[in-house]
Amino acid sequence: MILWLLVRRELMQLLRSVHGLGPLLLAMAIAGGGLVWLLQRAEGTVETLPALWGVAVSAGLPFLAAVAASRGFTQDRENGMLRLMFATPVRARTWVMGKVMAAWWLCVVYVAGMALSCWVLCHWLVPQNAYFPMSWIGFVWAGGALMMLAWVWCALGTVLSLFSKSSASTFLLSLLGCLFLPPLICEGKVAFGGGLSGQWRFFPLQELVYDCAGGVVDIRGLVGCAVATVVLVYIGGLIFDALR
């Protein structure tokens, strides 16, 4: 019950701040432009609409997650609320999870909005004789993969906000982590013989979304995202207790 109250409070504050609606609309504009560009590039090919949609949406998701999570504990430190949070009997992991879930719900709104935009595009803005190879189950799997990625990125930004004293630096570190950590980890696995290099060497998580949209569900990748989220939340709780 306390967790849901925290999530509701954080989400409402997020939507009323500069970290909410503005970045949300900007991320949707980036994804929308990317989808139109990909559709033009894919004309005459066998690419499916769910795959192109998933890749386009994944382009704006790290930016939105980094912005949403950058508010995290940084703003609480700036306005003095962090000291009051330390004095409450609420468990550390509850505070951390509340911040993560609030940022994650903003990402859910983003993905749902892009799905609605894609539906409008298919039904109202294209010629009647246009053909899009697609399957609605592909959208479901791609959306699920995007939500798992959003969990990881929001958790990473929230943990970083415990260290930073400004939202700008938290955003920058979160965005850099979202963009560079996954390819570095994958390249490390390849270098040490623990994995195979995929088609998109520097965009492994986007490749995960692309594969899921095509029906090739990488359970290991999705489980890895879930485990990474749990680990980050646990680490965030330990750091919160240490600061307390």
Side-chain angles (χ1 to χ4, degrees):
M1 185 64 179
I2 295 177
L3 177 61
W4 293 112
L5 290 175
L6 291 176
V7 173
R8 180 181 177 183
R9 168 184 172 272
E10 293 295 330
L11 183 59
M12 290 299 102
Q13 290 184 358
L14 187 61
L15 292 175
R16 291 195 295 263
S17 68
V18 295
H19 298 79
L21 290 180
L24 174 62
L25 296 176
L26 180 57
M28 293 183 69
I30 294 172
L35 178 59
V36 172
W37 181 75
L38 288 173
L39 288 174
Q40 293 176 345
R41 290 288 302 272
E43 185 176 358
T45 67
V46 295
E47 294 288 356
T48 63
L49 183 59
L52 299 178
W53 174 84
V55 172
V57 175
S58 67
L61 191 59
F63 165 77
L64 181 63
V67 173
S70 67
R71 181 184 179 277
F73 293 99
T74 303
Q75 189 166 343
D76 293 324
R77 178 181 285 107
E78 292 174 350
N79 58 26
M81 283 294 297
L82 191 59
R83 291 176 179 268
L84 296 177
M85 293 163 62
F86 288 157
T88 63
V90 179
R91 297 178 61 185
R93 284 190 292 274
T94 302
W95 280 114
V96 175
M97 197 61 191
K99 299 283 187 179
V100 173
M101 290 184 66
W104 181 79
W105 272 109
L106 189 67
C107 296
V108 171
V109 174
Y110 163 71
V111 174
M114 289 308 303
L116 179 60
S117 300
C118 189
W119 181 85
V120 171
L121 174 68
C122 293
H123 287 79
W124 299 99
L125 300 179
V126 297
Q128 293 184 354
N129 59 348
Y131 172 68
F132 287 129
M134 65 176 182
S135 170
W136 291 110
I137 193 65
F139 282 100
V140 174
W141 280 114
L146 289 166
M147 291 295 91
M148 295 303 297
L149 299 186
W151 273 121
V152 179
W153 288 328
C154 291
L156 176 62
T158 301
V159 172
L160 290 175
S161 71
L162 284 165
F163 296 96
S164 179
K165 296 183 179 180
S166 70
S167 298
S169 59
T170 304
F171 163 72
L172 182 59
L173 291 173
S174 300
L175 187 59
L176 290 176
C178 294
L179 294 178
F180 293 109
L181 276 180
L184 286 176
I185 293 174
C186 289
E187 288 299 309
K189 290 177 62 178
V190 173
F192 289 98
L196 299 176
S197 181
Q199 296 179 358
W200 304 351
R201 292 182 59 185
F202 301 107
F203 302 97
L205 297 182
Q206 286 76 7
E207 185 177 7
L208 174 64
V209 177
Y210 180 86
D211 290 341
C212 287
V216 183
V217 182
D218 186 356
I219 299 297
R220 293 176 303 174
L222 298 178
V223 171
C225 291
V227 171
T229 303
V230 173
V231 171
L232 286 169
V233 171
Y234 179 75
I235 292 174
L238 293 179
I239 297 171
F240 190 94
D241 276 335
L243 294 174
R244 176 183 280 176

